[in-house]
């Protein structure tokens, strides 16, 4: 199919920026620890997601 390992890793990393590691691990069938380690390496571990969502958003003019 022409999909290289590098392409797979790039796609996985991009998905980690979009959704949390446990959710992605479940979707693609990898170990949650692997996904969490990759997310941590990318500095997108989603640990503060709930706190960010709880902050009031600035009002738009």
């Amino acid at each position: 199919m022409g999909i290289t390992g590098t392409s797979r890793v790039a796609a996985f990393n991009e998905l980690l920026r979009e959704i949390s590691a446990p959710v992605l691990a479940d979707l693609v069938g990898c170990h949650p620890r692997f996904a969490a380690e990759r997310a941590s390496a990318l500095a997108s571990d989603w640990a503060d997601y709930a706190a960010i969502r709880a902050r009031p958003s600035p009002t738009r003019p």
Side-chain angles (χ1 to χ4, degrees):
M1 293 183 86
I3 300 171
T4 64
T6 304
S7 298
R8 287 175 33 152
V9 170
F12 190 81
N13 290 345
E14 188 60 34
L15 286 170
L16 280 172
R17 290 181 179 95
E18 299 293 324
I19 60 177
S20 67
V23 173
L24 181 59
D26 189 46
L27 287 173
V28 300
C30 73
H31 196 280
R33 187 177 309 158
F34 171 76
E37 288 171 357
R38 291 296 310 146
S40 180
L42 295 169
S44 62
D45 64 3
W46 290 73
D48 56 354
Y49 178 74
I52 292 170
R53 292 286 298 179
R55 289 185 203 146
S57 61
T59 58
R60 296 182 185 195

